[in-house]
């Protein structure tokens, strides 16, 4: 089932095609861009939506990873809900150093390949807004400024 604008809410975990996200334009990331290259995620990637400004048509999300790396922090398993396969009971991490600001319309378009239905959508911290705020607050401490995701 297709994702709608109304489905994009804090705590949503959604698989996004970053090529589609970039092609639609307007997305920004604060992932490090240095001499060794662009650290922003590419390909198909799970994202956790940590903030939404529905009137402005924007949301903030962080990519999720199955393995830890320097700067990554684990998600708490007891805050996960939704389709369990490769979600509940598995290690999941977010990078404190990579946030994305994305037009909601671009998120909807980039989510076309997500296999979830409205009944099986994954969520994180559905009843704990402070947990999402803690993740979003890393945005202000990031080492890099936001830039266009191209």
């Amino acid at each position: 089932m297709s994702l709608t604008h109304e489905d994009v809410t804090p705590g949503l975990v959604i698989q996004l095609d970053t090529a589609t996200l970039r092609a639609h334009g307007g997305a920004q990331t604060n992932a490090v861009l240095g001499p060794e290259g662009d650290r922003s995620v590419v390909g198909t990637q799970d994202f956790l939506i940590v903030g939404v400004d529905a009137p402005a048509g924007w949301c903030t999300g962080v990519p999720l990873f199955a393995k830890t790396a320097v700067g990554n922090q684990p998600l708490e398993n007891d805050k996960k809900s939704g389709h369990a396969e490769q979600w509940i009971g598995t290690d999941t991490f977010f990078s404190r150093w990579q946030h994305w600001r994305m037009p909601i319309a671009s998120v909807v378009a980039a989510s076309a390949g997500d296999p979830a239905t409205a009944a099986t959508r994954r969520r994180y911290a559905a009843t704990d807004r402070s947990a999402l705020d803690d993740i979003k607050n890393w945005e202000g401490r990031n080492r890099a400024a936001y830039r266009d995701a191209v």
Side-chain angles (χ1 to χ4, degrees), residues 16-34:
L16 299 178
D17 176 352
T18 61
T20 302
L21 192 61
R22 287 173 166 91
H24 273 255
Q28 298 180 322
T29 182
N30 60 10
V32 171
L33 177 61

Side-chain angles (χ1 to χ4, degrees), residues 28 30 47-51 59-63 98-102 135-136 139 146:
Q28 298 180 322
N30 60 10
F47 277 79
L48 166 62
I49 304 300
V50 294
C59 65
T60 302
V62 293
Q98 184 170 177
H99 287 71
W100 286 61
R101 290 181 186 156
M102 306 167 284
I135 296 170
K136 188 174 185 316
E139 172 184 39
Y146 272 101

